[in-house]
Amino acid sequence: MGRGVFTSEDLEADLTIEISPVIIMNAEERKLIDQTALHDYIFEWGVQQENCCMALGFIPLYNHSYISNCEYFMDFEEEIIFIKTIRVIEKGEQLTINYNGDFNNNKKVWFQTK
């Protein structure tokens, strides 16, 4: 876990807490991004995941958890990613997402987890 996102107040379940525009990159640009530190901060993008994107705002700083308290959603038409809480979150708690997309997906991620 590197940097993280924490809440400064109690949050209710099913609350949209962030909406972020994205910068979309094609497959050729992805090859270049994969050679940089930005590789760990991009999301696969598109119905067929043919592209990738960099979300703006705090979204790249949400840490991974297999038992996340938030979930992210992609709106390909509007070119945004948004984050919603999936349960009540208490003040001071770290906000986490499951990097596999679905909050309850236990598929191994590409890095070692604790």
Side-chain angles (χ1 to χ4, degrees):
M1 295 227 174
R3 297 179 178 133
V5 180
F6 296 81
T7 180
S8 60
E9 58 189 59
D10 292 341
L11 301 173
E12 61 190 58
D14 199 37
L15 177 68
T16 299
I17 56 174
E18 184 167 3
I19 300 171
S20 171
V22 299
I23 299 169
I24 300 168
M25 293 160 279
N26 63 33
E28 287 302 309
E29 292 166 320
R30 167 88 186 252
K31 290 176 188 175
L32 299 172
I33 293 292
D34 285 344
Q35 297 174 44
T36 72
L38 292 177
H39 164 78
D40 291 340
Y41 298 94
I42 60 174
F43 291 80
E44 293 180 339
W45 186 260
V47 176
Q48 304 297 324
Q49 299 181 337
E50 63 275 11
N51 296 314
C52 70
C53 76
M54 171 61 72
L56 303 176
F58 289 106
I59 290 178
L61 301 179
Y62 286 75
N63 283 313
H64 167 77
S65 175
Y66 289 115
I67 307 168
S68 63
N69 53 22
C70 297
E71 189 169 20
Y72 67 90
F73 300 89
M74 299 178 173
D75 184 329
F76 302 128
E77 201 170 291
E78 295 294 322
E79 298 183 352
I80 59 171
I81 293 178
F82 61 98
I83 304 285
K84 291 181 85 167
T85 59
I86 56 173
R87 63 167 175 79
V88 171
I89 302 173
E90 295 181 13
K91 177 181 178 177
E93 216 178 318
Q94 181 172 194
L95 304 174
T96 58
I97 58 176
N98 186 320
Y99 287 5
N100 290 319
D102 294 325
F103 75 94
N104 60 355
N105 186 326
N106 289 326
K107 179 182 160 196
K108 283 200 165 279
V109 289
W110 65 95
F111 56 90
Q112 190 166 351
T113 60
K114 291 182 180 182

